[in-house]
């Protein structure tokens, strides 16, 4: 049994999230995003890899799950349903279903409008596509078919964002989508149940960043904006239509109220105001704090925000403008070109900027400077550039907290940059001891999955489970070493301690008459099949070079041997009791017989220089026994004894 993961997008990258997971014969597509960094076919996931031979996607997939309305998670959905012909079930939360058409329409206008040859999907396609979507509630268990179960959990990334749990038979997994482990102004923190999981596929946008308190960072943002407008400057905030825009609007609106600022705050398109209306309706999906204040006032009823008219670009005086899209192109680029040369103005970068975008160039720019626009035009940038340091994505600590909480058997990192993934993978593997992978696009991973077997247990076995679990505490071997000259130093006995964890050993048997399974003790099994215990033992009488052994005290030899073995096998419990050394099933003691049946090697130069140590062990410890014997043979006794 294995879980098969085919990464079609967001493998070692951010953009066009799309992972096909096959669990026990069921194929699920998690997210169906678009890559806004590409203008050609690479903007879509390579769907041809899903069904290499049949070409029928409805047959190949059990369902599609969309985690949230961001384009890198949903942008390719209308193309996949209306152009590629997928006609099976699609699931997303209610808010995602409500808001997705706004995002898709925004994108369609921006990219395809006016470029007939490029047209990939129309407004009608978006509408038709959304009709096929089944909206789900949080924590509602959906039976997709007889075997496949899915459930959504609050992700706290944007309104309606969800992590999805999927279970087929005994195998289960979680796909996180984008999430935030700390609450922000308008959303609560991600929340999920403790689940038994074979696999967690998690985003890793900020895989190596650790953030401090968000209040400090919010205050910093407000100070920068306030200073700019107080100095007569214009603030450009390029953002997606939904999510960030509403959160920042809340922060600014609240601040404007408190400080009685009269500078206008604009939203660039009617679309975003329509989005604000949805936020008012979807108040149940916001944070507890927002819901609590809702009784007196809907915090999405922005008092100081009005819609923007293009003619206002040239209007004098300070203002704040939210303009789409986030990474600066289209309308936000038009405004940027006009405002960037004025040093009083400010551009606020609100989130992740993909490589090749203007936003990315500004992240490293230090004004005054010149940057190259797409069409090789140089632009003077003298305005201030400010990068928001709070983000709707979890930081590294949040990812670690979630992975630790869920403790899956395997972790796959997607939606991030490779060098950061490599570092996070190391931390997950070393600190949490969970195997972790970061596949590239078009790579397929096979992960072992769980199959549970139901078995009854015998009374005797259950009783054996109740026995306290004793553990030997290790004594410090250095105190007993051959370097210690005080031979009167008493050999320390290992101390006993009762452990919390109990280990019970039993045998799983299948009963012939009804194929039922049962766990029994060893004795019960032997009784059942009517036989006796046979134990095979191996023995060897080991000669050890020990000069003038006749005149030496044999206990000093024991002391040296015990010290040496303790250092050689630090992880094993070595007992030295009444002149018998025991390590697991290995037993060894001084052999005084003149002729021992287990003695095969010839003695050293003289019988007087040789002692024998008789060793016995059972088959399971064969390898260990020969390592112990070789340690004995290499004991250097002569030097110390002669001096
Ligand atoms: Zn997102
Ligand atoms: Zn994303
Ligand atoms: Zn012997």
């Amino acid at each position: 049994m294995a879980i098969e993961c085919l990464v079609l997008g967001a493998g070692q990258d951010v953009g066009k999230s799309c992972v096909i997971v096959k669990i026990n014969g069921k194929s699920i597509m998690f997210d169906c995003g678009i890559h806004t960094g590409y203008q050609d076919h690479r903007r879509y996931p390579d769907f041809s890899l899903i069904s290499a031979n049949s070409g029928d996607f409805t047959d190949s997939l059990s369902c599609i799950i969309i985690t949230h309305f961001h384009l890198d998670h949903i942008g390719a959905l209308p193309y996949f349903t209306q152009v590629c012909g997928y006609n099976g079930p699609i699931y997303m939360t209610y808010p995602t279903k409500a808001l997705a058409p706004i995002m898709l329409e925004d994108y369609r206008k921006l990219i395809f409008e006016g470029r007939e040859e490029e047209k990939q999907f129309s407004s009608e396609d978006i509408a038709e596509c959304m009709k096929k979507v089944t909206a789900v509630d949080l924590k509602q268990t959906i039976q997709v078919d007889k075997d496949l179960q899915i459930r959504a959990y609050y992700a706290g990334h944007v309104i309606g964002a969800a992590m999805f749990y999927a279970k087929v038979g005994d195998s289960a997994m979680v796909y996180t989508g984008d999430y935030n482990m700390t609450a922000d102004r308008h959303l609560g923190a991600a929340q999920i149940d403790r689940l038994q999981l074979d696999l967690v596929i998690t985003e890793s946008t900020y895989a190596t960043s650790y953030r401090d308190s968000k209040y400090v960072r919010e205050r910093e943002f407000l100070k920068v904006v306030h200073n700019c407008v107080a100095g007569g400057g214009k603030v450009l905030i390029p953002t997606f239509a939904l999510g960030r825009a509403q959160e920042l609007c809340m922060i600014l609106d609240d601040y404007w109220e408190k400080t009685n600022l009269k500078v206008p705050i604009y939203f660039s398109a009617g679309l975003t105001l329509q989005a604000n209306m949805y936020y008012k309706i979807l108040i149940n999906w916001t944070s507890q704090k927002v819901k609590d204040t809702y009784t007196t006032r809907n915090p999405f009823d922005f008092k100081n925000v009005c819609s923007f008219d293009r003619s206002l670009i040239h209007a004098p005086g300070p203002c704040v403008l939210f303009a789409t899209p986030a990474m600066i192109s289209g309308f936000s680029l038009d405004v940027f070109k006009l405002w960037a040369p004025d040093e009083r103005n400010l551009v606020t970068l609100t989130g992740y900027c993909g490589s090749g975008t203007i936003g990315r160039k500004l992240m490293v720019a230090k004004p005054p400077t010149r940057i190259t626009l797409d069409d090789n035009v140089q632009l003077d940038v003298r305005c201030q550039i400010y990068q928001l340091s709070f983000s709707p994505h979890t930081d590294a600590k949040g990812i670690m907290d979630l992975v630790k909480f869920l403790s899956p058997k395997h972790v796959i990192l997607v939606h991030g940059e490779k060098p950061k993934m490599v570092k996070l993978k190391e931390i997950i593997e070393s600190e949490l001891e969970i195997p972790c992978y970061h596949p590239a696009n078009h790579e397929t991973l096979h992960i072992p999955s769980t199959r549970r077997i139901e078995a009854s247990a015998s009374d005797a076995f259950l009783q054996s489970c109740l026995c306290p679990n004793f553990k030997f505490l290790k004594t410090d071997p250095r105190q007993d070493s051959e370097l210690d000259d005080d031979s009167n130093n008493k050999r320390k006995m290992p101390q006993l301690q009762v452990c919390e964890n109990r280990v019970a050993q039993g045998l799983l048997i299948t009963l012939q008459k009804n194929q039922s399974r049962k766990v029994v003790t060893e004795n019960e099994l032997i009784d059942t099949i009517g036989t006796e215990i046979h134990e095979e033992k191996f023995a060897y009488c080991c000669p050890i070079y020990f000069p003038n052994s006749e005149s030496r005290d044999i206990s000093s030899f024991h002391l040296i041997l015990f010290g040496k073995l303790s250092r050689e096998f630090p992880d094993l419990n070595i007992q030295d009791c009444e002149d018998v050394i025991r390590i697991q099933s290995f037993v060894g003691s001084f052999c005084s017989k003149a002729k021992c049946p287990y003695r095969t090697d010839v003695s050293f130069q003289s019988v007087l220089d040789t002692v024998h140590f008789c060793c016995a062990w059972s088959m399971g410890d064969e390898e260990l026994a020969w390592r112990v014997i070789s340690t004995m043979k290499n004991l250097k006794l002569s030097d110390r004894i002669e001096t």
Side-chain angles (χ1 to χ4, degrees), residues 88-157:
I90 303 165
Y91 298 94
M92 57 183 77
T93 63
Y94 282 99
T96 306
K97 188 178 178 183
L99 296 167
I102 300 177
M103 290 297 273
L104 292 167
E105 187 56 32
D106 208 16
Y107 177 73
R108 190 197 62 78
K109 272 195 189 155
L110 185 76
I111 300 297
F112 305 140
E113 203 117 283
R115 282 184 248 174
E116 211 47 47
E117 78 287 357
E118 266 239 61
K119 195 167 158 182
Q120 304 284 333
F121 52 81
S122 62
S123 294
E124 295 74 52
D125 286 335
I126 295 174
E128 282 305 310
C129 166
M130 294 315 292
K131 278 186 197 163
K132 299 173 182 171
V133 171
T134 308
V136 304
D137 234 323
L138 292 177
K139 296 205 176 186
Q140 175 193 3
T141 302
I142 309 281
Q143 202 75 43
V144 176
D145 59 30
K146 169 170 125 296
D147 304 309
L148 171 60
Q149 228 177 48
I150 61 167
R151 204 180 306 140
Y153 289 96
Y154 196 82
H157 169 64

Side-chain angles (χ1 to χ4, degrees), residues 402-534:
L402 182 79
V403 171
K404 193 174 173 189
F405 176 77
L406 291 174
S407 287
K409 298 205 179 90
H410 304 267
V411 174
I412 292 180
L413 304 177
V414 292
H415 201 290
E417 291 161 6
K418 192 182 175 188
K420 294 179 184 175
M421 287 177 164
V422 170
K423 281 193 188 135
L424 183 63
K425 168 194 151 80
E426 272 168 23
I427 298 172
I428 289 176
E429 292 192 332
S430 63
E431 283 183 20
L432 305 178
E433 294 180 350
I434 299 172
C436 181
Y437 321 87
H438 45 73
N441 283 343
H442 304 170
E443 227 177 273
T444 304
L445 277 183
H446 295 267
I447 281 160
S449 66
T450 306
R451 203 178 132 225
R452 275 178 247 286
I453 293 172
E454 221 170 80
S456 59
S458 72
D459 289 347
F461 172 73
L462 289 176
Q463 218 125 53
S464 76
C465 299
L466 298 175
C467 293
N469 180 18
F470 292 110
K471 190 184 164 194
F472 289 103
L473 290 180
K474 241 177 264 146
T475 51
D476 188 349
R478 275 168 306 183
Q479 295 182 359
D480 303 41
S481 77
E482 63 208 52
L483 301 171
D484 195 335
D485 268 337
D486 181 9
S487 55
N488 291 329
N489 193 359
K490 266 196 289 171
R491 262 172 262 162
K492 288 215 172 135
M493 298 297 289
Q495 284 182 308
L496 272 180
Q497 186 201 37
V498 182
C499 274
E500 292 275 354
N501 302 331
R502 287 176 194 180
V503 180
Q505 280 190 11
L507 296 149
L508 181 68
I509 57 170
T510 306
L511 300 173
Q512 225 162 23
K513 56 176 194 277
N514 56 2
Q515 293 296 304
S516 67
R517 296 184 179 88
K518 193 171 187 180
V519 183
V520 297
T521 63
E522 195 178 34
N523 287 338
E524 282 179 303
L525 180 69
I526 286 159
D527 283 351
T528 314
I529 55 180
T531 183
E532 281 169 20
I533 293 185
H534 290 271

